[in-house]
Amino acid sequence: MARNMIGSHPDFRSIRGAHRRFGAVALAISVGGFLLFVLLSSFLPDVLNRPLFGHVTLGLAGGVGQFAVMALTAWRYTVHMERRVDPAADRLRAEMHREAAARARVPQQQRRFGGW
């Protein structure tokens, strides 16, 4: 398969689409949660200073929750890549290797005259 034709291959399109869709959702969740936390701390500090139990406030729980959101996003990214992207990439890679091996076995047509 020629390199310029790889963009039209169904497996490549599947890889690209799956990666883009997941990336948009993960970005919205991760950055959106962080932005919400920053905006709340800037404009509504009284809300984040509310005690939940003992010395733990809503802001402290939200800050620790950001680590949980990032860990969950990283875990889902790994699962998504293993299930959706890696199998399609492996199929595409195997097909490219098969076609490259087939091209290597076919002798190239030799020129009858040397270059000028």
Side-chain angles (χ1 to χ4, degrees), residues 79-98:
V79 169
H80 172 75
M81 293 299 283
E82 287 174 353
R83 289 185 183 166
R84 300 267 330 250
V85 176
D86 289 348
D90 291 341
R91 284 192 307 269
L92 185 59
R93 187 177 299 113
E95 184 175 332
M96 288 177 59
H97 285 299
R98 278 194 307 271

Side-chain angles (χ1 to χ4, degrees), residues 18-87:
H19 196 265
R20 282 185 180 175
R21 281 187 301 275
F22 183 83
V25 171
L27 180 71
I29 291 171
S30 299
V31 173
F34 183 73
L35 183 62
L36 177 66
F37 182 71
V38 169
L39 290 174
L40 281 173
S41 67
S42 296
F43 296 109
L44 298 172
D46 294 338
V47 172
L48 295 181
N49 282 331
R50 290 185 186 161
L52 290 177
F53 56 88
H55 293 290
V56 177
T57 63
L58 188 60
L60 182 60
V64 172
Q66 290 298 310
F67 289 105
V69 168
M70 290 298 165
L72 181 66
T73 303
W75 172 72
R76 283 300 304 156
Y77 176 80
T78 303
V79 169
H80 172 75
M81 293 299 283
E82 287 174 353
R83 289 185 183 166
R84 300 267 330 250
V85 176
D86 289 348

Side-chain angles (χ1 to χ4, degrees), residues 97-109:
H97 285 299
R98 278 194 307 271
E99 289 183 8
R103 278 195 309 271
R105 283 182 286 217
V106 176
Q108 296 290 328
Q109 184 180 8

